[in-house]
Amino acid sequence: YLKLDIFHRIWQMVRVINCMDGVEWNPQLLEVPPQTQFDYTVTDLAGGPKPHSPYDSQYSRTTLKGGMLAGQLTKVGMQQMFALGERLRKNYVEDVPFLSPTFNPQEVFVRSTNMHRNLESTRCLLAGLFQRQKEGPVVIHTVQADSEVLYPNYQSCQNLRTRVRGRKEAATSQPQISEDLKEVKEGMGLDSSIEVDFFILLDNMAAEQAHSLSSCPTLQRFAQVVEQRAVDTALYVLQREDRESLQMAVGPFLHILESSLLTSVDPATPPSERRKLYLYATHDVTLIPLLMTLGIFDHKWPPFAVDLTVELYQHQQSKEWFVQLYYNGEEQVPRGCPDRLCPLDQFLNAMSAYTLSPEKYHALCSQAQAVGSEE
């Protein structure tokens, strides 16, 4: 069978506001745990040089209190990703001898978004999965920011950007969201004119909790409210009934996953093009719409170092193909499937409502939309 991992890496971009000024982000948090060290090379999809990362350039211009740059993967995140790799090793090397115990580039394809913390998260996961052992070079593939589809690309997809911008503004005026945001801001001593949303609050709160830091009692008191309203805002922005928005958010990524599955089941695929493991390093903002299209979103913000796994099986007698999904280690029954072990054709048929080829994606992104009625 084939396993496809889409894991969420730790997001340590901390936006400091008022009552959070007490937290200091010491550069010692960036020390690399020895067990997570694993040499790797980054290339574009064609094997060329690593593209420039505009996001890393932005982070390098922001220094947090304590001296750390924004947008970094800390040793806490490294340990979390290493632990995820060890869990996958237990599942696919030890309990079931599927993957080789050492990294083999003929078995594994790795792709990540072009952000340093995500590349480093991938390194830590691979170090845990293969215990720092390799039979060949570890190559992590990536693409330039304007063509990335491993997250909703609001910069390149104008149609999606237009829809989301209007809905995000409208979301803040929804009664429950606006009332709770007002109460939280008042408790934090923030002036009503300061622009803060539940995404910013959740980013700060989750990062502080992961590092056992505390700067704001109000955030601790409103922890559940902050997470729930961040989810509510995301759902209002994405809107499950708006199929085109979900298509533009994750449709190209679903197309990549579909292609990987079909390549694996096609008997005409040359052995040199087959992989046992396709590993994709993405983000929380990818997982939410992806889980929505699969019909398995639990209305909880994806935690740090979470994984979504699609396993591919072939029946020994009938030769039929099936998929099985796991989210954060728990079995899932995706939309359109009769049971946890889902016939591949039924799974792909259910996903076809959201899957977009590159051509259809670019066409949809360039369409002008009158979105006023949707807001």
Side-chain angles (χ1 to χ4, degrees):
Y1 57 87
L2 164 79
K3 190 171 78 64
L4 299 167
D5 269 330
I6 309 102
F7 64 84
H8 160 56
R9 22 79 2 229
I10 187 169
W11 178 276
Q12 300 298 12
M13 177 185 176
V14 184
R15 286 167 277 189
V16 183
I17 46 179
N18 270 12
C19 78
M20 301 176 190
D21 286 346
V23 167
E24 292 194 6
W25 295 93
N26 193 308
Q28 290 182 344
L29 286 170
L30 302 178
E31 294 175 355
V32 178
Q35 73 272 21
T36 70
Q37 293 179 343
F38 205 38
D39 292 337
Y40 66 92
T41 302
V42 183
T43 73
D44 63 18
L45 293 180
K50 175 184 178 296
H52 169 71
S53 174
Y55 293 103
D56 287 336
S57 296
Q58 291 173 14
Y59 297 144
S60 68
R61 293 193 289 268
T62 301
T63 301
L64 305 175
K65 185 175 182 180
M68 219 173 86
L69 293 178
Q72 303 298 301
L73 180 71
T74 67
K75 60 184 178 183
V76 173
M78 296 179 200
Q79 291 163 344
Q80 289 176 328
M81 294 306 300
F82 183 83
L84 173 57
E86 288 197 309
R87 171 162 70 79
L88 297 177
R89 181 179 180 86
K90 184 178 187 303
N91 291 345
Y92 302 108
V93 176
E94 298 171 0
D95 292 352
V96 177
F98 174 60
L99 291 173
S100 298
T102 60
F103 179 89
N104 183 341
Q106 298 303 311
E107 288 187 352
V108 183
F109 173 82
V110 187
R111 177 173 170 179
S112 168
T113 58
N114 190 21
M115 299 183 197
H116 183 66
R117 67 166 177 276
N118 218 22
L119 296 167
E120 288 289 273
S121 293
T122 309
R123 165 182 63 80
C124 296
L125 182 144
L126 292 171
L129 175 55
F130 297 107
Q131 295 298 291
R132 301 178 62 199
Q133 302 299 310
K134 56 182 179 178
E135 298 177 16
V138 177
V139 178
I140 302 177
H141 301 84
T142 191
V143 300
Q144 58 189 23
D146 61 1
S147 57
E148 185 59 84
V149 295
L150 296 193
Y151 51 69
N153 199 324
Y154 301 111
Q155 299 303 314
S156 298
C157 188
Q158 182 177 356
N159 189 353
L160 180 62
R161 180 171 68 251
T162 302
R163 296 186 189 208
V164 166
R165 182 172 56 235
R167 289 176 185 163
K168 189 175 180 181
E169 293 172 357
T172 60
S173 64
Q174 298 303 300
Q176 291 181 316
I177 294 176
S178 62
E179 291 168 10
D180 284 339
L181 184 59
K182 179 182 178 182
E183 186 174 0
V184 173
K185 287 174 67 175
E186 289 176 351
M188 294 172 64
L190 295 176
D191 187 89
S192 59
S193 63
I194 295 178
E195 291 188 11
V196 175
D197 59 34
F198 281 112
F199 297 142
I200 295 175
L201 296 173
L202 181 63
D203 271 352
N204 283 277
M205 183 182 74
E208 290 181 5
Q209 288 177 346
H211 294 84
S212 300
L213 300 172
S214 177
S215 66
C216 191
T218 300
L219 275 185
Q220 293 179 325
R221 190 168 75 250
F222 284 97
Q224 288 185 323
V225 172
V226 169
E227 179 182 354
Q228 188 55 56
R229 292 307 177 216
V231 170
D232 291 343
T233 304
L235 291 176
Y236 186 90
V237 168
L238 290 168
Q239 297 189 3
R240 180 174 175 265
E241 60 273 15
D242 179 10
R243 184 163 65 99
E244 288 187 346
S245 287
L246 287 173
Q247 285 178 323
M248 289 183 286
V250 292
F253 190 12
L254 287 171
H255 179 76
I256 291 173
L257 301 184
E258 177 188 56
S259 298
S260 299
L261 289 165
L262 293 177
T263 295
S264 298
V265 304
D266 185 354
T269 301
S272 61
E273 295 181 14
R274 295 181 184 273
R275 296 292 182 272
K276 288 187 174 183
L277 170 65
Y278 290 81
L279 193 63
Y280 297 97
T282 68
H283 303 268
D284 49 1
V285 295
T286 314
L287 277 172
I288 290 176
L290 189 59
L291 295 171
M292 289 173 65
T293 62
L294 292 168
I296 59 173
F297 184 49
D298 59 4
H299 288 236
K300 297 178 181 177
W301 201 271
F304 293 146
V306 70
D307 66 309
L308 173 64
T309 303
V310 182
E311 297 177 342
L312 179 64
Y313 295 88
Q314 187 177 32
H315 194 283
Q316 290 184 341
Q317 280 76 42
S318 69
K319 303 303 180 183
E320 291 180 277
W321 293 95
F322 297 84
V323 297
Q324 188 165 1
L325 267 66
Y326 292 86
Y327 176 59
N328 206 17
E330 299 292 329
E331 288 183 348
Q332 305 291 326
V333 179
R335 178 183 291 115
C337 290
D339 200 356
R340 61 182 184 84
L341 201 60
C342 181
L344 176 60
D345 57 348
Q346 292 188 32
F347 175 73
L348 294 179
N349 183 61
M351 291 304 97
S352 66
Y354 301 99
T355 303
L356 282 185
S357 67
E359 296 77 18
K360 291 181 179 179
Y361 171 68
H362 292 301
L364 187 56
C365 283
S366 62
Q367 285 182 11
Q369 291 291 329
V371 297
S373 60
E374 298 176 5
E375 297 168 8

